Structure formats: structure tokens, C-alpha cells
Amino acid sequence: MPMHIAVFCSGQGSNLQALLDAGESGRFQDAKISLVVSDQPQSQALARAARSGVETLVWDARRFPTREQGDAQLAGEMERRRIGLICLAGYLKILSPEFVRKFPLRILNIHPALLPAFGGPGMYGHKVHEAVLASGAKYSGCTVHFVDEGTDTGPIVLQSAVPVQDRDTVRSLAERILTEEHRLYPLAVDLFCRHRLRVQGKRVSVEEKS
Ligand code: GRF
């Protein structure tokens, strides 16, 4: 039985597309993307999922009196479909600690900077690149990490550095990093599916191919 992967998105879903393409090319051994969740009914991610014949779920958390109740239902949706890995790809809702605790080391996220710098509450989208440019850092990049109960604090799986150029604007830096994200995220998912990630505390190592 393949492992079922759910991808959570809120926006354009270009990372979702990179994952769908990787899955369609047979890259994820014994795993398939079976569900795309979006909190935004207009998200382009839903159209991308539909084009690939992947089930979609529009998740309107406002239907529930509290975030915890909504997240408990959402966790139930995952369990019902036997989801083994959740990939956050531009999902703008923060998952409750209760939800995260139900899927230990089974939720990945991609962040458009080199964590632990330029992460944490409020650091998303263009705000990340603005902060990088304002800091004068010579490198930014992207990070795939496991999700723990903090914001952008979970064990780092893979990172890729992208040099900041003198003429960079938020837009140009974001674009170059996004291109790199599309390479990095499928690689991390591939390693997860092949059970090659070993986690010790905050450190994640990649086991050699057997
Ligand atoms: C990416 O930059 C990702 O790092 C961040 O949100 C953005 C999502 O972009 N978490 P897309 O929707 O995958 O194009």
C-alpha cells in the first residue's frame, strides 16, 4: 500500500505543482499525493490538484467555534484517509499544538529563508525577503523542516543557499528562491518516503542509500 501524502496550500501552489510533477514522474517510491487541502476556495492550488486528478478539500476553519475544534476535525480527515505525511506548501494558517502532536515528525514545511534566521511569527511571504534585504545578509535561501509546536522551529531537513545580489528587489529574490524551493521540496519528500531521514533532537541526517 502506498503512503498517502496530503499537501496544504493557501495560494498559487507552485510548490504543490513541483510535488505533483515529481509524483507523476514516479519519483516518490511507494507514496502518492492523495489530497490537497486549502483554506482558500479560490486558491490556484485547488485547480492544480484537480488537473492532476487529486482529491481536494476546502477547509473553512471559521465553521468551528475554536481553532482546536476545527483542527480536531481536520486531523480526523487525515486519519480517515490514512495520510502518512502532510506537506505544508504556503499554508497560511498556523496549526494548533494538538494537531501537530497527532502527527509527530510527519509534517513538513518549506520556508523561503535560511532558518533559524528570518523565521517565526509574522515572517511569511514578502516580509521574509524584505527582512533579508534590510539586514544586508549576503545569502538567503530555503529550508524544509519538520513542523513542531513552535513557528518555524522544527528540525531542519534540507537547506539551500541562494546568494543575495546587489540589485535584488523583494520580487527578484523571491523568484530565485522559489525556483530553488521547487527543487528542494520534492527532494525532501523523496527522502522522507524512502525512510532515509534520521532525527536526533534538532538534527536530521540523511542515511546513505542501502
Ligand atoms: C513559498 O515561498 C514557501 O516557501 C512559503 O510560501 C510560498 C508558497 O508559494 N511557505 P507557492 O504557493 O508554493 O507558490
Side-chain angles (χ1 to χ4, degrees):
M1 272 243 293
M3 183 192 356
H4 294 290
I5 302 173
V7 186
F8 287 25
C9 309
S10 299
Q12 61 174 356
S14 71
N15 276 289
L16 165 67
Q17 191 64 56
L19 293 172
L20 287 169
D21 292 346
E24 278 164 23
S25 72
R27 177 119 179 246
F28 304 143
Q29 200 182 39
D30 295 332
K32 63 185 281 219
I33 299 172
S34 330
L35 179 68
V36 170
V37 176
S38 176
D39 59 324
Q40 300 295 325
Q42 306 305 331
S43 162
Q44 234 184 294
L46 294 169
R48 293 181 193 271
R51 272 203 297 277
S52 290
V54 173
E55 185 192 358
T56 57
L57 179 63
V58 177
W59 193 251
D60 182 3
R62 291 168 308 181
R63 285 191 292 131
F64 302 93
T66 65
R67 183 175 70 155
E68 285 68 27
Q69 280 168 289
D71 274 7
Q73 286 284 333
L74 186 57
E77 298 284 351
M78 299 302 115
E79 282 153 3
R80 202 156 62 75
R81 294 172 176 84
R82 300 186 193 288
I83 298 294
L85 173 66
I86 295 170
C87 295
L88 307 184
Y91 189 62
L92 293 178
K93 286 263 177 312
I94 303 279
L95 295 166
S96 63
E98 291 78 8
F99 184 95
V100 172
R101 277 200 291 272
K102 284 194 176 133
F103 304 97
L105 298 178
R106 288 201 287 139
I107 309 176
L108 290 172
N109 181 43
I110 187 150
H111 184 79
L114 295 177
L115 294 175
F118 306 109
M123 273 294 197
Y124 61 88
H126 280 180
K127 292 184 189 175
V128 178
H129 308 296
E130 271 160 20
V132 168
L133 290 176
S135 77
K138 299 293 184 202
Y139 285 91
S140 189
C142 45
T143 303
V144 178
H145 64 95
F146 283 110
V147 173
D148 67 6
E149 292 176 34
T151 306
D152 301 328
T153 52
I156 291 171
V157 177
L158 294 177
Q159 289 188 306
S160 182
V162 172
V164 177
Q165 295 171 358
D166 291 345
R167 292 208 317 244
D168 261 332
T169 60
V170 165
R171 193 174 172 166
S172 65
L173 182 60
E175 275 175 8
R176 282 206 318 290
I177 290 175
L178 197 57
T179 303
E180 191 54 20
E181 291 180 37
H182 299 159
R183 186 189 69 80
L184 200 70
Y185 213 177
L187 177 59
V189 171
D190 185 29
L191 292 170
F192 180 96
C193 295
R194 289 172 197 268
H195 309 285
R196 289 181 58 199
L197 300 177
R198 294 286 166 269
V199 186
Q200 283 185 305
K202 293 283 267 189
R203 298 186 73 174
V204 181
S205 54
V206 177
E207 248 183 26
E208 291 300 312
K209 277 188 201 163
S210 53

